[in-house]
Amino acid sequence: MPSITVQPNQLLERVLTIEIVRVTERAAVSAARLRGRGAEKAADQAAVDAMRRELNKLPIDGTVVIGEGEIDEAPMLFIGEKVGNKSGPKVDIAVDPLEGTTLCAKNMPGAIATIAMAEEGTLLHAPDVYMDKIAIGPGYPKGIVDLDAPAADNILRLAKAKGVKPESITALLLDRPRHADMIAAIRKTGAAVSLITDGDVAGVIHTAEAKTGIDIYLGVGGAPEGVLAAAALRCIGGQMQCRLVLDTEEKRDRAAKMGIKDPRKKYEIADMVRGDCLFAATGVTSGAMLRGVTFSKDVIETDTVVMRSATGTVRRITAEHRELQKFHLD
Ligand code: VTB
């Protein structure tokens, strides 16, 4: 039987796979304590504080490249912030400590705490702008869908590749007025449209999870969320194409300062995540991908998915936290 040899430099990366679970778990618990309070900012801040504290314990020399905002706003976990205890490898980090602040504030399904990590210089440094996205799950020939093709063509081509009628295709989009024409065009093909109010990191990942019944993700969402989703698809397979929406001089300037030379560039997964990566997400409220945090008398339970692109391993980790509950730790 062939054995898998672990190189010394891979050892730390494998350890970090488990360590980043702690990071998203703690962010999720802190946000979940504020579920349903109608307090978006407070829940987000609680998740940010917890994530930052846990990140700073890790043996990494990390730079936040996708974070809570740009440096002039100087929030915590801003783009460019250094995290980690500096004793380990130089890494790029993308975070969304509370993806779906509104979902959490209203205690609606699908809020998560999420992170991606990769070797320094390999994650796209994207400004906090919109991004046009298209994504499908694994198992299709490359190029079967295209960001620049009409939505209806993409649905028809995907149906053909899947060997089904368009009626058997389900597309997922953010429920926004800007998508009205696209939704109408997709429905005209006979395909079903599923709408989400927020949370398109999970939305994109759903295309790679057969149990969700989602075949394709389409539309305009946040760029930070796009890079996080690309990291997940790099681990589990699937195709994704994206383009930043840089529709003003000011946005193009901000992007240029982050090293983006071509504002119209169409990004593939390999352009957004240029090497091996780790991805983790913990449920804050229950959704199709993850269960939300549950609080009982002695135990807090979390549900996390963690992925490693080097091997494509996906772990689902249900954790019981006793100390956190006993001492009411954040
Ligand atoms: C999406 C969604 C996020 O922002 O990226 C969306 O995944 C895009 O922005 O959860 P608009 O809300 O302006 O459409 C979120 O909803 C987070 O704010």
Side-chain angles (χ1 to χ4, degrees):
M1 206 171 83
S3 68
I4 298 174
T5 321
V6 178
Q7 304 297 328
N9 61 344
Q10 286 176 349
L11 192 62
L12 183 59
E13 194 223 334
R14 292 174 90 221
V15 171
L16 286 171
T17 311
I18 300 303
E19 288 296 319
I20 62 168
V21 173
R22 291 199 168 87
V23 175
T24 56
E25 282 177 350
R26 291 297 286 270
V29 169
S30 292
R33 291 194 194 280
L34 293 168
R35 277 185 313 216
R37 268 67 171 184
E40 270 126 355
K41 282 221 168 76
D44 192 44
Q45 192 61 53
V48 169
D49 291 348
M51 187 171 265
R52 187 168 184 254
R53 197 185 50 234
E54 293 305 308
L55 272 173
N56 281 329
K57 293 178 188 165
L58 298 191
I60 52 167
D61 185 351
T63 306
V64 175
V65 300
I66 297 286
E68 285 293 288
E70 291 163 44
I71 190 158
D72 44 347
E73 304 152 20
M76 290 209 278
L77 293 180
F78 63 85
I79 300 171
E81 185 173 335
K82 300 284 177 196
V83 290
N85 69 14
K86 310 251 179 324
S87 69
K90 287 190 187 303
V91 291
D92 280 355
I93 295 169
V95 297
D96 200 344
L98 181 54
E99 151 66 335
T101 49
T102 308
L103 299 175
C104 178
K106 295 185 175 172
N107 209 354
M108 286 165 65
I112 59 173
T114 184
I115 191 169
M117 194 181 280
E119 201 181 314
E120 182 183 44
T122 60
L123 290 183
L124 179 67
H125 296 207
D128 193 358
V129 295
Y130 282 124
M131 183 184 246
D132 198 6
K133 313 173 189 178
I134 186 168
I136 56 172
Y140 294 104
K142 199 168 161 25
I144 204 80
V145 295
D146 191 314
L147 185 66
D148 293 319
D153 290 6
N154 283 322
I155 300 293
L156 298 177
R157 288 168 59 95
L158 183 63
K160 199 164 171 213
K162 197 181 175 185
V164 299
K165 295 212 165 80
E167 282 76 4
S168 300
I169 294 292
T170 302
L172 186 74
L173 287 86
L174 280 164
D175 191 5
R176 297 290 187 275
R178 62 177 178 265
H179 293 150
D181 290 349
M182 195 182 263
I183 291 168
I186 295 169
R187 288 193 175 135
K188 218 167 159 198
T189 67
V193 173
S194 278
L195 294 169
I196 47 171
T197 61
D198 295 282
D200 75 341
V201 175
V204 167
I205 297 172
H206 289 343
T207 63
E209 299 176 301
K211 66 171 185 188
T212 64
I214 301 299
D215 299 294
I216 182 167
Y217 177 88
L218 289 151
V220 174
E225 289 87 349
V227 176
L228 280 155
L233 288 197
R234 179 153 187 140
C235 297
I236 54 179
Q239 298 178 45
M240 187 176 183
Q241 289 182 335
C242 302
R243 180 177 287 118
L244 295 168
V245 181
L246 299 170
D247 49 3
T248 63
E249 205 51 51
E250 185 264 336
K251 287 179 196 165
R252 283 189 289 274
D253 275 356
R254 271 158 61 202
K257 283 197 188 103
M258 288 188 184
I260 289 162
K261 293 191 186 84
D262 175 6
R264 293 279 309 150
K265 185 176 166 69
K266 181 156 73 172
Y267 293 97
E268 305 276 344
I269 292 173
D271 301 314
M272 294 184 276
V273 186
R274 293 182 289 263
D276 279 325
C277 68
L278 308 175
F279 172 89
T282 302
V284 176
T285 58
S286 291
M289 182 166 79
L290 293 159
R291 268 194 313 111
V293 180
T294 53
F295 297 89
S296 56
K297 184 167 166 284
D298 298 320
V299 176
I300 299 173
E301 213 170 278
T302 54
D303 186 24
T304 302
V305 63
V306 60
M307 311 173 181
R308 182 168 173 251
S309 73
T311 51
T313 306
V314 176
R315 293 185 170 80
R316 295 192 152 266
I317 300 180
T318 307
E320 296 175 9
H321 308 267
R322 290 190 171 71
E323 203 184 37
L324 282 190
Q325 185 62 318
K326 194 168 169 192
F327 300 109
H328 199 85
L329 297 176
D330 266 325

